[in-house]
Amino acid sequence: MRLADPVYALYTRRLRRRLDGASLPRHIGLIMDGNRRWARKQGLPDTRMGHRYGAEHAENVLRWCESLDIRHVTVFLCSTENLQNRRSDEIEFLMRVVEDLVTDRLGRPDSRWRLHIAGSLDLLPDTTAAALKQAVETTRACATGAHVTLAIGYGGRQEIIDAFRDLLYEGVSHGKTIGEIADNLTVDDLAAHLYTADQPDPDLVIRTSGEQRLSNFLLWQTAYSELHFCEAYWPAFREIDFLRALRSYADRHRRYGA
C-alpha cells in the first residue's frame, strides 16, 4: 500500500526519532536487486531501463546514509555471474549506466563520497574500467570521511582466491617457504589482501526484492554481519524501508557467531 505523502512524512520522522541515540551500523552493504522486475511491473517496454532507475536511486540511499552519519557503504552493482550469464545487450546497457553514474554523479570532484572499487576491472569493457579508475582518482582527495565501494565484476569466492594468491606471492617474495606461510597464516593476513582491505566489515547487509541469499557478495567480510531482506524492488526501496532496516538492526543483540 502506498502511503499518502503527509502520512509517509509523519511516519518517516517517527522512525528517525526512534533511531536517535540508537546503535547504527558503521558500514552497510547493499544488494540492489529487482531492477528488471520493477521495470516489468511498471510496464516499461525495455526492462533494461530498470538498471537506469536503480543507479539513480543509489544516490538517494547514499543521502539517507549521510544524514545518519553512516560513513561506509558497499553497493553490489554487478557480479561475475551477471557478466557471464546475462545477455550481451543487457550487459552493454548496464555498463553504460555505470559509466554515467560514476562520471556524472559519484565521481565528480565535489563528491562527498570517496569512491572505491571491489572486483576485477579486467572483466569489464575498457571504457567502463577507465571511467571507474578516473572516478577513484577524482575522489581520492575527498575529506568527508565517507566511503562508497562499488562491487562490480565482483565475486566473493574469487576475491578470497585472489587474496590468498597475493598473500602467497608476497610471502615468497620475502623469502618465506610455503610451509612457513601456512604455519603463521592469520585471519588478518588474508584480510589485508582483500579488495576491501583497510575498510571495516559490513555491520548490516540489506537485500531488496524479497530474495534471501547473499549471492556471492562479500563472503569473507559478512561472516558476522546482520542481514535484512526487504520485499521492495530496488528502485521502489523507500526511506521508510531503509529506516525499518536500521530499526531492526538497532533492536538486535549482535553475537558475532557466539
Side-chain angles (χ1 to χ4, degrees), residues 141-216:
C142 177
T144 64
H147 300 261
V148 59
T149 300
L150 303 183
I152 179 169
Y154 175 86
R157 289 180 173 180
Q158 188 62 47
E159 177 183 23
I160 295 170
I161 291 172
D162 289 345
F164 192 65
R165 181 185 296 115
D166 290 345
L167 185 149
L168 290 176
Y169 279 137
E170 180 184 70
V172 170
S173 71
H174 289 132
K176 297 180 182 178
T177 67
I178 296 297
E180 288 172 332
I181 296 170
D183 288 343
N184 295 285
L185 182 63
T186 68
V187 168
D188 289 339
D189 291 335
L190 190 62
H193 292 273
L194 296 171
Y195 301 145
T196 57
D198 300 324
Q199 298 183 42
D201 291 340
D203 301 296
L204 172 66
V205 174
I206 300 172
R207 179 170 188 154
T208 57
S209 86
E211 304 292 347
Q212 299 188 20
R213 58 182 183 271
L214 286 176
S215 295
N216 208 12

Side-chain angles (χ1 to χ4, degrees), residues 16 22 28 101 103 116 234 245:
R16 281 186 167 273
I28 291 180
L101 175 66
T103 301
H116 306 269
W234 173 256

Side-chain angles (χ1 to χ4, degrees), residues 91 113 126-127 162 215 231 245:
I91 294 300
W113 293 81
D126 291 343
T127 54
D162 289 345
S215 295
E231 293 293 327

Side-chain angles (χ1 to χ4, degrees), residues 62 73 75 77 98 101-103 105-108 111-118 131-142 144 146-152 199:
L62 288 178
V73 179
V75 182
L77 286 181
V98 170
L101 175 66
V102 299
T103 301
R105 298 171 183 272
L106 298 183
R108 293 168 55 89
S111 174
R112 296 185 56 79
W113 293 81
R114 181 176 174 182
L115 189 66
H116 306 269
I117 304 300
L132 290 166
K133 290 176 182 177
Q134 181 59 54
V136 168
E137 288 304 315
T138 300
T139 62
R140 190 176 297 278
C142 177
T144 64
H147 300 261
V148 59
T149 300
L150 303 183
I152 179 169
Q199 298 183 42

